[in-house]
Amino acid sequence: MNVPKTWIFDLDGVIVETAQFHYKSWKRLAHSLDIPFDESHNEALKGVSRSKSLNIILELDDREVSEKEFQRLMDKKNGWYQNYIAELTPDDILDGIPEFLDTLKERGAKLAIGSSSKNAQYILDYLQLTETFDAIIDGTKVKNTKPDPEVFLKGAQAVGEDPEDCVVFEDAESGVEAANRANMLCVGVGSEEILGDADLVIDSFVDMSPEDLLEKLS
Ligand code: G6P
Ligand code: MG
């Protein structure tokens, strides 16, 4: 294993628990359309784009809508979602992450964000984390979202790193697949059952130093 020089973090569900805001907003939209939607449908929405998410929801009930209506539904969901994220503060950064990022910075590692979200920059600003990262690749900068590897390959490219020298942190099945396709090491953050294709799965960053993690990976 190459010791990673660049550490690429997914945002939603890894740095901050915004996955619940996406879920609540999609649920509200689905229910307004009389489409049954609960936690069991939600896993497939993690890591994928806003439009793919809406397609998945509409397919649950074989619905077809016009392009204009599709855009209106995405905007409605995003409005609700943006109301939630506007409340975020640095206190919402997930436990263990600030220490983990600080240690990496002290060691001179390069840090990047690899997120499918078009709201990533707002979230990083609310969390006061924008300056922490050397590169921020988000849904506004890629054509193909996860499981396509584009977001991570662009992250590596932005800091001048080879993919083999990068490690990715992901909470979504689609993100683990993207990291594998990018030929990068991958650490799943969450459940082994869902993220089993990662090189290592951890519960959280609490009491986890970069050294602990490298030892587990090797
Ligand atoms: C992240 C989340 C997905 C979300 C996607 C797009 O990857 O995990 O659940 O659909 O971003 O988010 P956006 O903020 O652009 O609607
Ligand atoms: Mg995520």
Side-chain angles (χ1 to χ4, degrees):
M1 178 193 91
N2 293 4
V3 175
K5 296 180 196 143
T6 292
W7 303 57
I8 306 180
F9 295 81
D10 171 48
L11 179 63
D12 294 306
V14 171
I15 302 269
V16 60
E17 203 29 286
T18 40
Q20 52 165 330
F21 300 153
H22 280 296
Y23 172 58
K24 284 186 192 166
S25 311
W26 283 127
K27 190 163 79 168
R28 183 168 170 191
L29 188 82
H31 289 178
S32 77
L33 299 169
D34 284 324
I35 299 178
F37 182 79
D38 61 34
E39 206 104 35
S40 68
H41 305 112
N42 193 49
E43 208 53 51
L45 271 50
K46 290 186 182 169
V48 303
S49 66
R50 198 180 305 165
S51 57
K52 175 100 187 277
S53 299
L54 180 54
N55 270 320
I56 292 173
I57 290 173
L58 294 174
E59 275 166 19
L60 286 173
D61 199 44
D62 285 331
R63 295 286 179 95
E64 276 178 33
V65 297
S66 67
E67 226 171 276
K68 198 170 159 205
E69 176 66 356
F70 191 90
Q71 188 59 50
R72 193 187 71 83
L73 294 173
M74 282 202 301
D75 291 347
K76 212 168 165 188
K77 180 270 173 179
N78 196 47
W80 292 326
Y81 178 70
Q82 287 191 330
N83 287 339
Y84 283 120
I85 60 172
E87 305 287 319
L88 290 171
T89 72
D91 285 343
D92 294 302
I93 300 171
L94 285 173
D95 291 345
I97 286 278
E99 298 80 359
F100 195 84
L101 296 178
D102 283 351
T103 311
L104 285 172
K105 285 228 103 126
E106 279 164 23
R107 309 274 148 90
K110 283 179 264 180
L111 306 183
I113 289 287
S115 166
S116 300
S117 173
K118 292 184 172 156
N119 290 297
Q121 190 58 66
Y122 300 116
I123 296 173
L124 290 166
D125 287 344
Y126 294 136
L127 301 177
Q128 295 176 20
L129 277 180
T130 298
E131 301 304 318
T132 303
F133 293 93
D134 301 289
I136 296 169
I137 309 296
D138 62 20
T140 67
K141 296 185 181 148
V142 292
K143 280 202 206 80
N144 309 295
T145 54
K146 302 166 190 174
D148 192 282
E150 184 181 347
V151 68
F152 296 137
L153 292 173
K154 281 210 164 131
Q157 203 180 31
V159 297
E161 202 74 82
D162 287 336
E164 308 83 71
D165 292 323
C166 298
V167 59
V168 166
F169 294 87
E170 257 299 341
D171 72 314
E173 204 176 357
S174 60
V176 172
E177 186 183 332
N180 287 341
R181 283 167 63 182
N183 202 16
M184 295 178 180
L185 277 172
C186 184
V187 177
V189 187
S191 107
E192 177 76 49
E193 209 181 309
I194 294 161
L195 307 172
D197 286 341
D199 297 287
L200 169 73
V201 178
I202 59 173
D203 287 341
S204 78
F205 286 86
V206 175
D207 294 328
M208 176 76 69
S209 70
E211 285 72 24
D212 293 336
L213 197 106
L214 292 176
E215 203 180 304
K216 285 178 197 285
L217 268 170
S218 64

